[in-house]
Amino acid sequence: MRVSKTGRRAPWLGRLLASSVLIAPGLLVQGVPAAMAQAQAQTGTVAFAIAPQSVDGALAAFSAATRIQVLTPGEVTRGVSSPGVSGRLSARDGLNRLLSGTGLVARFLNDETVTVERVAAQGAVQLDPVQVAGAATATGPSVLPQAYAGGQVARGGRLGALGNRDVMDVPFSVTAYTAETVRNQQAETVAEVLANDPAVRASLGYGNFSEAFVIRGFPLYGEDIAVDGLYGIAPRQVSAADMYERVELLKGANAFLNGAAPSGTGIGGGINLVPKRADDEPLTRLTANYAMDSRFGGAVDVGRRFGDGGMFGARANLVARDGETAVDGEKRSLLLGTLALDYRGERARVTLDLASQRQRVENGRPVVHLNSSAVPAAPSASRNYAQPWTYSDMRDTFGQLRAEYDILPNVTVHGALGLRHTREDGDYASPTVTSANGNGTSNRLTVPRQDFASSGQIGLRAEQSTGPVLHRLDVGASLMRTANHNGFEFGASAPTNLYTPIIVARPRTTSAAGMTGEPPKVSETDLKSFYASDTLSILDDRVSLTVGLRQQNLHVKGYNRASGLRTTNYDESALTPVVGLVVKPLKELSLYANRIEGLAQGPTAPTTSVNSGEIFEPYKSVQYEVGGKLDFGRFSASLALFQTSQPSGVTDPVTRIYGVSGKQKNRGVELMLYGEPVDGLRLIGGATFIDPELTNTGNAATEGNDAVGAPRQQFNANVEWDLPFLPASLPKVTLTGRMIHTGAQYVNVANTLKIPSWTRFDLGARMTTDIQNRPVTFRAAVENVADKAYWASANGGYLTQGNPLTAKLSMSVDF
């Protein structure tokens, strides 16, 4: 009997094991959670040599051998002897034998902590439900690919139209960072999570405090981040990382997989955020945190499952942070509330995710624009050149309903619907520097904005064998609509200086539009698409070929703020194909190649051209990629070679005709490493090398130059080390370190202005112990330990300064 790649038989197998396995009196491990079973499967066995002795001594030796913390109330183990254990066994089996015949039972609280309790009565002890995950890829809206060895990165992620897939099975480069990484690094935003990746660098938005990303040398804005596969739902400017179980990064063009991004970025890669949902194990976690200079916060994370076999799940998160950052005078606050409900039935699975997020930035350090012949040196790391009256208030309320139903064992229909409302208010004043001594001017810009977004998907997934070939068919449609309402108000110019800021009163208004009442509608975007694909697999999935097509329509309408009349109407369609091949000559090796396209709204000829107003077809970028992935069970490595060509509009200097003839061609090599090669040593790192060349620009001064804000080299190294020499009686201590290096970046297409390369070092430690028989984790970190002053990014042709030395502390307690 062939088991399909969706693993449809795994649920009844798990229920059978969970309901029928009874442990004899000599085998007393109870309640092994799914995560621990998974971790043991990945980390293998341990060599035990524990002689018969008191249970207290035996458990101390067990903890020393496995680095699993054992919590034992003294009165439970007093006077009890253990038969000991010897041989190479899994941690679970070793603990079974240590407690055999003692009348004691062990219950795992999480992956690293176990409690020992006395059995009330002798006899059989039934296991808690255990989720059985085979080699097949996880599917369903609430089932994620397993965490890889070390727990920092997952084995796979959601690939848009193709659903959840294992990284070894797909012809693309995917890295999914887990909630464990978010917690342990005390990451507050998506940008802080992706600081671990050598293919990604972050900056601020053009005139606000949004997070913008550069992936493989191409920009990605916050509007183009997906939530569980849906565009238009994520907060527009900054997404707090606290509510997400996974931050998934797909490197490369992805128009077929996800459709065209709402604002037209994401040519070099995409980001998908997966909300936290209830696990099989009950969770109650309280966290308190602090960050320099005086920013305090707290969080509550509660998850439970209810009903027969944990059919219903609920998880709630509440987060609050407020205070001054390490940048002089800058204040940031966050209020976040989320609720995730889910249903796991025999044939139907449903999730509902709701969230409300409010972020406020006061006196935030802005980006710096240039109008000079030289790049000024970066001010001291904590220097703030903002005006004290500047602020940004960002409120997002969003939700998503997702469901799937198994019509037949091999046919599943699925759909999703999401809504988002955004309200933003702010006074902004980014300085424009006119000389290397830091002199310049700043102008006030006031922008009230509201966004209303709705997004939906419907699709069908089926598997069918035709002779030796297994077909995985995916067909579906998506629709997204976004309406943008905004007004603006410009204030008078005022002098300033980067190094000795000149504080001025809020400048008077010089021009305004749409500032009376609610902001008027300025634009409306409709994105519709239909897709179909087939993944053909032979030789027990050792060779697979994915082919697919997506027909995309982009309809963008612009409106006059005063009259409300429509002023522009962009309505174009494009077909974006994909071809991907995976070959596995060895179980540990996956070779792949792909050709896939990116898609963005085409330009309109500017007023300076003789064909002013002409609307062009959507930009179709083309990516070619080949690579290989190695999976040794505990350590994984991947290498990719890619080329992505993105068209651009150019006005001919002689004829003054505007046309799409220019290109940004990024060729690169990408290396990624992660896992736990030996017990207690975890790694994430890699390198990216890019040649971001501008071609067919129509200008000899720019032909062959590097693209703006695209570094040629990026290196990352993140290490965690559990100190192995500490006695088992002491708390578990982990040391952490991270290095981030970014090459020089050009600020203008003429390549006459450039910011230098930079390197940042972060250090940290965490300690896991127990207080009142509850697992407690203390975390401490210092980012930018050298307090280095540097320009972090030239993305967009302006400068974003790196953060100063920032100390972070937190304490989490699990109940």
Side-chain angles (χ1 to χ4, degrees), residues 232 452-456 479-483 524-527 557:
F452 301 89
S454 58
S455 186
L479 171 64
M480 196 200 77
R481 169 169 292 179
T482 301
E524 190 173 75
T525 301
D526 288 317
L527 302 178
K557 294 168 281 189

Side-chain angles (χ1 to χ4, degrees), residues 418-480:
L419 300 171
R420 171 176 61 90
H421 173 258
T422 293
R423 173 71 195 216
E424 299 172 6
D425 293 278
D427 273 346
Y428 309 98
S430 298
T432 298
V433 173
T434 56
S435 65
N437 65 6
N439 284 335
T441 60
S442 65
N443 297 76
R444 174 176 64 87
L445 172 61
T446 300
V447 182
R449 173 170 177 151
Q450 286 194 98
D451 282 359
F452 301 89
S454 58
S455 186
Q457 297 174 345
I458 188 169
L460 183 142
R461 180 170 297 124
E463 291 189 358
Q464 181 63 49
S465 294
T466 56
V469 181
L470 174 67
H471 298 264
R472 174 175 169 145
L473 303 171
D474 289 279
V475 295
S478 65
L479 171 64
M480 196 200 77

